[in-house]
């Protein structure tokens, strides 16, 4: 159950592969995730296209009645290598801009199985959380134990003191769609004390800059 202090999740960004993967459960889980998002009236943000898991989750969400936003770099759209985007398409110039736009449109993030792109996206978002740039919940849908070895590696990084215990708690994992969304909704972030002092507010930095300039005049 969601905590009353946690705002409801309205938009989830899903990172996943444009390949269907080896196991049939990967596509089935992507399809089920899309249907559950629609049932819970949660809108989908994803990386565009219609192939593999990306296509499965987006088509299921769209057919179920969710709003779907596909954010895709112009080069990928024009190259037509990941298929036609489902729902509304927003073209951007670079991969970095794509991630920033997806981040700004999402209240939470889920990673289905995927390759290098999926891993880069989920770790990029997680590192931002570690730096206290945001406190949005992040989850791994651990279909058929796909992420078991990755989770073990993160535990190893904690053991070897390259990752703090609080940073390890950033990534939630669950084997089922329903459990994962419930855990994302009830997630309460724990920020490392050293990171809590960081101020990423552009507005506040601009105010400080104006103050510094006025003191020098």
């Amino acid at each position: 159950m969601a905590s009353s202090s946690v705002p409801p999740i309205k938009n989830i960004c899903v990172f996943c592969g444009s390949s269907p993967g080896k196991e049939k459960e990967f596509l089935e889980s992507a399809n089920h995730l899309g249907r559950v998002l629609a049932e819970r009236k949660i809108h989908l943000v994803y990386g565009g296209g219609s192939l593999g898991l990306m296509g499965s989750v987006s088509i299921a969400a769209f057919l179920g009645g969710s709003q779907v936003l596909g954010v895709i770099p112009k080069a990928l759209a024009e190259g037509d290598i990941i298929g036609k985007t489902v729902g509304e398409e927003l073209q951007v110039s670079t991969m970095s801009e794509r991630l920033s736009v997806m981040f700004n449109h999402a209240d939470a993030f889920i990673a289905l199985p995927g390759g290098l792109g999926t891993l880069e996206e989920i770790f990029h978002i997680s590192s931002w959380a570690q730096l206290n740039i945001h406190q949005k919940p992040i989850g791994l849908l651990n279909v058929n134990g796909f992420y078991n070895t990755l989770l073990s590696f993160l535990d190893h990084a904690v053991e070897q003191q390259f990752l703090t215990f609080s940073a390890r708690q950033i990534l939630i994992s669950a084997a089922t769609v329903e459990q994962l969304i419930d855990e994302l909704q009830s997630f309460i972030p724990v920020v490392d004390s050293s990171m809590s002092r960081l101020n990423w507010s552009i507005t506040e930095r601009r105010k400080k800059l104006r103050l510094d300039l006025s003191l020098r005049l």
Side-chain angles (χ1 to χ4, degrees):
M1 294 297 291
S3 167
S4 59
S5 63
V6 179
I9 293 172
K10 298 180 180 179
N11 304 283
I12 288 182
C13 178
V14 174
F15 303 127
C16 57
S18 58
S19 165
K22 180 179 179 181
E23 309 293 339
K24 64 181 177 60
E25 287 84 0
F26 297 150
L27 273 177
E28 292 172 352
S29 293
N31 180 273
H32 185 56
L33 173 57
R35 287 189 281 109
V36 171
L37 291 179
E39 290 168 3
R40 298 197 182 194
K41 302 188 185 310
I42 297 173
H43 303 310
L44 170 68
V45 181
Y46 82 117
S50 57
L51 301 183
L53 304 193
M54 296 174 75
S56 184
V57 66
S58 59
I59 292 170
F62 183 77
L63 292 178
S66 285
Q67 294 178 18
V68 176
L69 174 64
V71 185
I72 183 170
K74 187 176 181 181
L76 285 180
E78 292 179 345
D80 193 27
I81 61 173
I82 60 174
K84 182 176 175 58
T85 294
V86 177
E88 179 184 355
E89 180 177 276
L90 177 58
Q91 293 190 12
V92 295
S93 298
T94 66
M95 295 292 285
S96 296
E97 185 182 1
R98 178 201 213 183
L99 187 59
S100 293
V101 170
M102 290 193 292
F103 170 81
N104 289 330
H105 280 82
D107 302 314
F109 306 88
I110 289 177
L112 284 160
L116 291 178
T118 301
L119 293 174
E120 188 272 336
E121 289 165 333
I122 204 69
F123 276 119
H124 201 142
I125 294 297
S126 298
S127 68
W128 285 356
Q130 181 182 11
L131 291 169
N132 201 30
I133 293 174
H134 73 91
Q135 296 184 347
K136 300 177 182 182
I138 307 165
L140 300 175
L141 187 56
N142 195 16
V143 183
N144 276 13
F146 179 82
Y147 283 115
N148 283 351
T149 52
L150 177 62
L151 295 169
S152 295
F153 167 75
L154 294 175
D155 292 336
H156 177 66
V158 173
E159 181 184 340
Q160 296 301 314
Q161 300 181 11
F162 284 105
L163 188 66
T164 65
F165 178 78
S166 60
R168 174 64 182 87
Q169 307 313 303
I170 290 171
L171 272 176
I172 301 165
S173 65
T176 69
V177 169
E178 291 82 359
Q179 180 186 357
L180 183 58
I181 293 178
D182 287 344
E183 291 194 28
L184 292 176
Q185 181 61 78
S186 61
F187 174 72
I188 298 176
V190 178
V191 181
D192 188 280
S193 58
S194 62
M195 300 299 177
S196 64
R197 299 193 297 269
L198 298 176
N199 180 8
W200 297 96
S201 169
I202 295 176
T203 301
E204 290 300 318
R205 290 204 303 272
R206 284 174 177 169
K207 286 181 180 177
K208 184 177 185 301
L209 177 60
R210 287 197 297 268
L211 176 61
D212 290 344
L213 289 174
S214 65
L215 289 175
R216 292 174 188 172
L217 295 177

